[in-house]
Amino acid sequence: MNLPTLKRSALLMIALVVVAILAWEFTLRQKGVDHSFDDGGPLWSHHRASVYGPIDQKTIFIGSSRIKFDLDIETWESITGDVPIQLSCVGSSPLPVLYDLADDPDFTGKVIVDVTEDIFFSTYPWSSASPRKYLDYYKEQTPSQHVSFVLNKPLESTFVFLDKGYLSLNAMLDHLEIKSRPGVFMEPIFPRDFERNKFERQCYMQSSFVSDTQKQKVMQDIWKFFASFETDSAMHGAALDSLLDTVKIAADKIKAKGGHVLFVRTPSSGDYWKADQVKYPREKYWDRLLTHTACPGIHFKDDPATDHYICPEDSHLTPEDAIDYTHHFIRILKDAYGWKFRNTQNM
């Protein structure tokens, strides 16, 4: 094959690839798919690296998925002038991140710890797997990995088909509905529009999920499915004592450096809330956590403005309610606990 023919073939191939990509992108957008950033080690590490600075300029949020849904970052920033750093990990305990911040001699800031009882009061290895993996990535990240992250951001901001969690080949294969059988476990498939992830690591539900009771029922059933694996009784006795001791040690370290630690119980509803009340009675877990650590806490049931939310799938707020909850959360921080923010004219 001569050179001109090779050039024409190469140009034709490039044109076909471009057309195929644009067609796929157009099809996804027509179906209502929006941008969602890969919520893995690179993005988490980017935000972990930004925790440093004056205490009145940033607040660090750690926990599981609830605070990722329930804290509206734009609302927080516009009211307080304070930058929220979202380091929570979906389905994970906040404790590995709390311990890491406590042991970091350069960190002297405010930490808000979201308490989801069945994850926070847990010794299951899976509850700490993601934060530990992300911490390892942060500490061992290479220059080439950092450059790759920087280059990838504008691409993820432009093309919705780069949604690694749902639209990569491996993700689509993982989401094929194959029934579990002996030796093969099929994890439940989350509706794609339930959990979308912004660059700031805020999660949100798309309106298509908020308006679809069938998809909400799917998620409710998934929570019950996961709960069915928790055959043991709630953490108690020496195990609970040990966990509370380690949390107190970490909180004391942060406070000794001039920082603040505050615990928050964000809203849940329906069967999820009913089950938590039975398995994790407040006086034995939430109240004891605050007393043992000598740290303040905000429970959603303690304020008439936040005790009424209905979570579509029982565990996370809609985007609209997240904005409302964030307004009240800031008010409580200021009025009940005297937290000060830079943007005082909006408060």
Side-chain angles (χ1 to χ4, degrees), residues 171-184:
M172 288 191 285
L173 289 174
D174 289 341
H175 292 171
L176 290 175
E177 300 222 21
I178 302 173
K179 290 185 178 181
S180 296
R181 58 187 187 277
V184 177

Side-chain angles (χ1 to χ4, degrees), residues 143-157:
S144 63
Q145 288 174 324
H146 177 69
V147 170
S148 177
F149 170 78
V150 172
L151 294 176
N152 193 51
K153 181 193 172 185
L155 292 174
E156 280 194 272
S157 302

Side-chain angles (χ1 to χ4, degrees), residues 38 161-177 186-190 192:
D38 176 27
F161 75 84
L162 292 176
D163 182 348
K164 183 178 178 180
Y166 282 91
L167 298 175
S168 66
L169 180 58
N170 285 339
M172 288 191 285
L173 289 174
D174 289 341
H175 292 171
L176 290 175
E177 300 222 21
M186 180 65 192
E187 289 194 14
I189 300 173
F190 285 38
R192 185 180 60 211

Side-chain angles (χ1 to χ4, degrees), residues 28-47:
L28 293 172
R29 288 176 182 265
Q30 288 294 106
K31 291 182 177 180
V33 178
D34 61 359
H35 298 93
S36 185
F37 286 84
D38 176 27
D39 194 21
L43 184 59
W44 189 92
S45 297
H46 170 77
H47 291 287

Side-chain angles (χ1 to χ4, degrees), residues 119-138:
I119 300 176
F120 188 96
F121 298 105
S122 171
T123 57
Y124 290 110
W126 57 260
S127 67
S128 296
S130 289
R132 286 176 176 165
K133 178 181 177 182
Y134 294 169
L135 282 165
D136 288 343
Y137 187 96
Y138 169 68

Side-chain angles (χ1 to χ4, degrees), residues 263-309:
F263 295 96
V264 59
R265 179 37 164 103
T266 45
S268 60
S269 62
D271 290 341
Y272 211 126
W273 169 240
K274 292 176 183 176
D276 280 346
Q277 287 180 284
V278 173
K279 190 171 184 179
Y280 300 97
R282 179 168 172 167
E283 65 276 8
K284 293 183 179 180
Y285 292 90
W286 172 258
D287 292 346
R288 191 176 170 200
L289 171 66
L290 302 190
T291 302
H292 194 84
T293 61
C295 290
I298 297 175
H299 196 294
F300 79 101
K301 282 295 183 182
D302 288 344
D303 192 292
T306 63
D307 69 352
H308 62 281
Y309 296 110

